[in-house]
Amino acid sequence: MATAATDRTAVPEPAPHVLVVPYPAQGHTIPLLDLATLLASRGGIRLTVVATPATAPLLAAHGDAVGELVLPFPSHPAFPAGVESAKGLSPALFGALIVAYAGLRAPLGDWARERSGGPDRVAAILSDFFCGWTQPLAAELGVSRIAFSPFAVYGTAVLHSLFRRMPQREDGDDESPIGFPDLPGAPAYPWRQLTLLYWTYRDGDEVSEGVRRNFLWNLEASSFVSNTFRRLEERYLAAPLADLGFRRVRAIGPLAPDAADAASGRGGETAVSAADLCAWLDGFADDDGSVVYISFGSMTVLQLPHAAALAAALERTGVPFVWAVGTAAPLPEGFEERVAAAAATAGRRRGKGRVVRGWAPQVAALRHRAVGWFVTHCGWNSVLEASAAGVPMLAWPMTADQFVNARLLVEEAGAAVPVSWGGILAAPEAEEVARVLEAAAGGQCAHVAAWAKELAEEAAATVSDGGASRQELDELVQELRELGSEPKE
């Protein structure tokens, strides 16, 4: 009997169980899955990632590191049936997606309560900040919730500031400056550069009020975890911010794969393989840094005037390029055919380009030595991937947090040159785009390229053993282990 009792007491307690709730947009889901995989690699915690049938395939690239819970996508009268993610979604429906996805709160609560008395009880929730509804869910379950931000700390604070303070423009003027007095430097942006989620807010509207409530809930989280690093955002990490509820922010990025994982399928199936694209780039091996990589992300669809200005500038300058245009972007008539013809000209470097229709292996491209510049909308994942690769950026923000990111890169980090500040409302002239391309390709922006290389060194250092981001990650793991040591009262 004594031996049996001893055996029972020797059985270790199960590792704390953390529920991970991504938001169904690639730019949100991918970095949170990267974080979940990192957390699992540290040991001592178990993670279950919530998905719907459409988003579950993204978990495949993460192997058996995390468990998965696939739930039906909730229906909502404001959101079209059969759609489960932001991919290809009209920007006008972004708010409705946030509100519709909140319908997972009830089934997820039932699932968690069924396990509340056993070894699989949920000890904490780690969720995207577009899933603010997990905050009242955590309160119902008596556990802590940590809010994950795939944005910069700066961009995250600006977004929450809008819905916290509800500033208004004067007389419907799109150029009316909107200030952020509680942020370092008290920055201001013209109304037209604010996120569409705020532009479309309507007092009393169900979707608008649901979006606002989403962000206010985040200010009650126990802490924030941000995919950023101190060298890039020291100013916004130095002290707790009122616009983030004075909560602690852990900087654990950049969550970008290293060179060995650059060809992985973490973003889903690509339209061209990393090996094929890199083989094409190898043709510029005698001219390192000569190729411009171009992408406006997985959600931004260029308007024809913007695409036409860029296409004309590329043809006018003859700068070698890879342009990942997505599946829906309109290009000027005959442009793709002319690019293909130039690419087929043996031995020709100048004017040689490649158009990729669909998802591209961006990390692999940015890490190829032939790529010297990146024309980007300044989505935060793209910013971090370029920063980790040491590639300077040509900033062309369109909407959302992109203007904030671009200002951070151009004015504070010194790692980018602006192409246009017009956003989705105003396309630049082709001559202006050509001038920026020629300056970058001609070596006139060498100081920016040097800052980008320095940023890459800092990014590598911070995620290495003993680096600041790795220390923050290990402290987060320890916090999650402690949260799971015993149930909350």
Side-chain angles (χ1 to χ4, degrees):
M1 293 294 290
T3 301
T6 300
D7 289 344
R8 283 196 298 272
T9 58
V11 175
E13 288 291 321
H17 184 199
V18 179
L19 190 62
V20 181
V21 187
Y23 178 72
Q26 282 183 300
H28 290 245
T29 299
I30 292 170
L32 185 49
L33 289 178
D34 287 341
L35 174 57
T37 303
L38 270 175
L39 293 171
S41 72
R42 276 1 203 201
I45 54 175
R46 294 172 296 146
L47 300 103
T48 296
V49 179
V50 177
T52 66
T55 58
L58 284 176
L59 274 66
H62 297 265
D64 299 325
V66 298
E68 68 176 49
L69 170 62
V70 180
L71 297 172
F73 190 92
S75 62
H76 191 280
F79 197 70
V83 179
E84 295 188 15
S85 74
K87 189 175 183 179
L89 189 68
S90 165
L93 289 171
F94 287 172
L97 176 57
I98 291 174
V99 174
Y101 200 59
L104 286 182
R105 176 177 166 181
L108 196 52
D110 291 341
W111 180 88
R113 279 185 284 271
E114 288 173 1
R115 289 154 179 79
S116 60
D120 286 334
R121 74 172 187 87
V122 173
I125 295 176
L126 172 63
S127 58
D128 190 281
F129 69 18
F130 274 14
C131 300
W133 51 270
T134 55
Q135 184 61 40
L137 173 61
E140 292 170 9
L141 299 175
V143 302
S144 293
R145 180 246 177 165
I146 298 169
F148 172 74
S149 171
F151 288 12
V153 176
Y154 182 18
T156 305
V158 165
L159 179 60
H160 285 78
S161 178
L162 290 172
F163 288 99
R164 182 177 74 92
R165 299 185 304 108
M166 302 297 290
Q168 300 299 310
R169 59 179 168 170
E170 295 182 4
D171 302 322
D173 181 7
D174 283 346
E175 296 299 324
S176 179
I178 304 299
F180 296 87
D182 294 323
L183 285 173
Y189 290 82
W191 176 269
R192 64 178 175 80
Q193 291 184 0
L194 303 183
T195 175
L196 184 66
L197 283 173
Y198 194 67
W199 281 1
T200 55
Y201 177 84
R202 299 291 180 270
D203 190 28
D205 174 72
E206 179 192 1
V207 169
S208 292
E209 296 298 345
V211 169
R212 184 180 186 218
R213 188 165 56 247
N214 173 87
F215 294 111
L216 295 181
W217 271 328
N218 289 331
L219 304 183
E220 302 172 16
S222 63
S223 63
F224 282 82
V225 174
S226 182
N227 184 18
T228 190
F229 59 106
R230 287 200 166 270
R231 169 62 178 80
L232 195 52
E233 293 203 86
E234 184 65 49
R235 191 180 191 189
Y236 308 100
L237 290 162
L241 301 174
D243 290 321
L244 295 180
F246 294 106
R247 296 306 196 255
R248 174 171 183 170
V249 179
R250 294 188 187 278
I252 47 76
L255 294 170
D258 58 24
D261 296 325
S264 71
R266 65 197 275 269
E269 186 177 354
T270 58
V272 58
S273 71
D276 179 46
L277 183 57
C278 288
W280 187 85
L281 289 168
D282 286 342
F284 298 87
D286 58 348
D287 197 6
D288 286 358
S290 63
V291 179
V292 175
Y293 179 77
I294 305 162
S295 174
F296 290 87
S298 60
M299 292 175 62
T300 300
V301 177
L302 280 186
Q303 303 300 309
L304 182 56
H306 298 74
L310 179 54
L314 289 169
E315 292 192 283
R316 185 171 305 178
T317 62
V319 173
F321 68 91
V322 173
W323 187 354
V325 299
T327 56
L331 292 179
E333 184 176 354
F335 175 74
E336 289 185 75
E337 291 77 12
R338 291 192 296 274
V339 169
T345 304
R348 185 179 178 186
R349 291 285 191 273
R350 182 171 170 79
K352 189 173 183 181
R354 182 162 183 176
V355 174
V356 178
R357 281 282 183 184
W359 189 256
Q362 180 165 294
V363 173
L366 291 174
R367 290 182 179 272
H368 196 285
R369 67 183 189 179
V371 173
W373 288 89
F374 179 17
V375 176
T376 173
H377 64 314
C378 297
W380 193 243
N381 286 317
S382 290
V383 166
L384 290 181
E385 288 169 359
S387 296
V391 177
M393 288 162 267
L394 300 177
W396 195 342
M398 294 292 171
T399 185
D401 62 321
Q402 296 158 20
F403 288 98
V404 178
N405 299 339
R407 286 257 297 260
L408 177 69
L409 290 166
V410 172
E411 298 175 5
E412 298 187 38
V417 175
V419 175
S420 170
W421 296 107
I424 60 175
L425 299 178
E429 296 294 329
E431 291 80 2
E432 178 61 17
V433 181
R435 184 191 66 78
V436 176
L437 287 175
E438 287 175 338
Q444 298 172 36
C445 305
H447 61 292
V448 177
W451 275 114
K453 295 298 183 186
E454 182 176 313
L455 206 57
E457 294 173 1
E458 295 281 351
T462 199
V463 296
S464 63
D465 289 341
S469 287
R470 279 298 176 265
Q471 290 180 26
E472 292 272 29
L473 178 73
D474 290 337
E475 289 177 11
L476 175 60
V477 171
Q478 185 58 37
E479 178 184 342
L480 292 171
R481 288 171 181 162
E482 291 172 356
L483 287 172
S485 61
E486 58 182 68
K488 280 191 170 186
E489 294 297 332

